[in-house]
Amino acid sequence: VETEEKTAPKPQGDWKRRLPQVIIIGIKKGGTRALLTFLNAHPQVVISGKEVHFFDRKYDKGIEWYRKAMPYSYDNQLTIEKTPSYFVTQQVPQRIYRMAPGTKFLLVVREPVARAVSDHAQSLSKGKTTPFEEKAMLDERRCAVDRSWSAIRIGLYSLHLTNWLRYFPRSQFLFVSGENLVANPGQEMEKVQDFLGIQRTLTEKSFVMDETKGFPCLREDQGSVKCLGKNKGRSHKPVDPQIRACLAKFYQPYNEKFYNMTGINFHWED
Ligand code: A3P
């Protein structure tokens, strides 16, 4: 999926491609496409519609390549890209630090078991067939979780965040609740806009709930409504309750640590 970038107005003023001042670094399946799409509706924001993967896969192309991968902007606009694999890739924070130590980060987080299920649903849609329970567990009877499976590993948020906090202070991150981005998008987007220092253009009134899918869509200027594509907001097969309980127990100490690091209790255990 891509979010369609804004169409370019007539080039005038200081209209050029700039390095991003803000990066959505993850978390995969947290709701990163929704956040990027909502931000794109803001006049003070321009986005890269594609995941650029510069700091993890294409770093050898060099910083000029990266700048040219960004959309055109005016100097009063923020350039934002999102690549969710950044959050879990060891070398990325150091590389971003070298480019611009003042970069701001948006991290959309979501209860890690739900996130893993969503990640697996994406694999199923791409033709994989192994059931979630089989992938997630080393030994069901002993409640032993396979933490080497990427869908499990990505959910160890406190471990990944530790790597980022070696380079950047907590104040350069905004932790966006994936759950609240669905339930109260206006409220969550107000926090995002305040953090970015842009006007509160997106409010509760900017969103309308798609009651069939249970996800919010954007109300556009001409009264039309824009929802995310059909590969966002998939339905998931329910997970065996015993295995879900094992996973919840497995993540609990990592979640706790993450709440301490961020100063936010996301209440994923409730
Ligand atoms: P599911 O499709 O598994 O439900 P990402 O964009 O980071 O890959 O995250 C995808 C997830 O974003 C979806 O996972 C869905 O739960 C969530 N989401 C959040 N807001 C959404 C919205 N407005 N429309 C569709 N999906 C949304």
Side-chain angles (χ1 to χ4, degrees):
V1 235
E2 280 179 33
T3 304
E4 211 179 307
E5 292 171 8
K6 284 175 196 156
T7 41
K10 244 197 222 124
Q12 59 177 32
D14 204 6
W15 171 249
K16 61 183 190 193
R17 297 184 191 273
R18 294 162 219 265
L19 289 169
Q21 301 88 348
V22 181
I23 306 179
I24 300 173
I25 54 176
I27 292 169
K28 183 187 181 195
K29 306 321 289 176
T32 57
R33 178 61 57 184
L35 177 59
L36 186 73
T37 303
F38 298 165
L39 279 169
N40 191 40
H42 197 293
Q44 287 170 275
V45 170
V46 298
I47 60 144
S48 161
K50 282 190 215 119
E51 293 181 4
V52 185
H53 285 284
F54 174 63
F55 296 104
D56 59 342
R57 299 186 197 154
K58 299 184 181 165
Y59 194 59
D60 57 354
K61 290 186 182 288
I63 204 88
E64 262 311 283
W65 177 90
Y66 186 47
R67 195 180 59 78
K68 287 184 182 140
M70 292 299 130
Y72 280 87
S73 61
Y74 291 107
D75 57 7
N76 63 346
Q77 290 179 309
L78 292 173
T79 299
I80 305 185
E81 78 122 323
K82 81 121 175 159
T83 303
S85 49
Y86 288 165
F87 183 58
V88 299
T89 307
Q90 178 73 30
Q91 312 87 308
V92 171
Q94 183 185 38
R95 288 174 173 177
I96 298 179
Y97 185 82
R98 281 197 207 126
M99 173 187 79
T103 306
K104 285 185 174 181
F105 303 107
L106 296 171
L107 187 69
V108 194
V109 296
R110 181 177 179 188
E111 190 281 309
V113 183
R115 196 220 68 82
V117 171
S118 170
D119 204 335
H120 180 255
Q122 177 165 305
S123 306
L124 292 178
S125 78
K126 289 180 178 167
K128 299 273 170 61
T129 54
T130 315
F132 178 81
E133 287 81 355
E134 208 174 297
K135 295 287 279 182
M137 304 306 287
L138 285 173
D139 182 348
E140 252 187 80
R141 279 169 317 143
R142 286 191 305 113
C143 205
V145 173
D146 187 354
R147 54 180 297 153
S148 73
W149 183 32
S150 68
I152 297 296
R153 197 183 62 88
I154 291 172
L156 303 171
Y157 304 152
S158 60
L159 296 189
H160 305 300
L161 184 62
T162 301
N163 187 34
W164 286 82
L165 294 178
R166 289 167 58 211
Y167 295 91
F168 303 100
R170 156 78 183 79
S171 58
Q172 273 169 251
F173 297 82
L174 183 74
F175 303 96
V176 177
S177 159
E179 286 85 9
N180 205 39
L181 191 63
V182 174
N184 294 299
Q187 188 189 68
E188 209 57 29
M189 290 311 293
E190 283 176 5
K191 288 185 213 161
V192 173
Q193 293 165 99
D194 291 353
F195 173 71
L196 299 180
I198 56 180
Q199 280 166 14
R200 285 190 173 188
T201 305
L202 298 162
T203 63
E204 206 185 310
K205 295 191 188 74
S206 314
F207 300 94
V208 49
M209 196 50 125
D210 175 345
E211 297 295 346
T212 8
K213 270 183 100 174
F215 288 98
C217 306
L218 262 176
R219 222 188 277 277
E220 291 186 307
D221 289 345
Q222 276 71 36
S224 59
V225 166
K226 191 177 159 196
C227 302
L228 268 67
K230 61 175 172 4
N231 53 1
K232 298 291 172 184
R234 296 186 175 102
S235 53
H236 303 153
K237 248 177 72 186
V239 176
D240 178 324
Q242 224 168 311
I243 289 174
R244 176 172 270 283
C246 288
L247 289 169
K249 195 171 157 212
F250 167 76
Y251 277 124
Q252 202 267 332
Y254 297 97
N255 291 347
E256 206 59 50
K257 178 108 192 277
F258 187 68
Y259 301 162
N260 285 331
M261 294 170 88
T262 58
I264 305 169
N265 186 340
F266 289 94
H267 293 284
W268 290 324
E269 287 73 24
D270 299 356

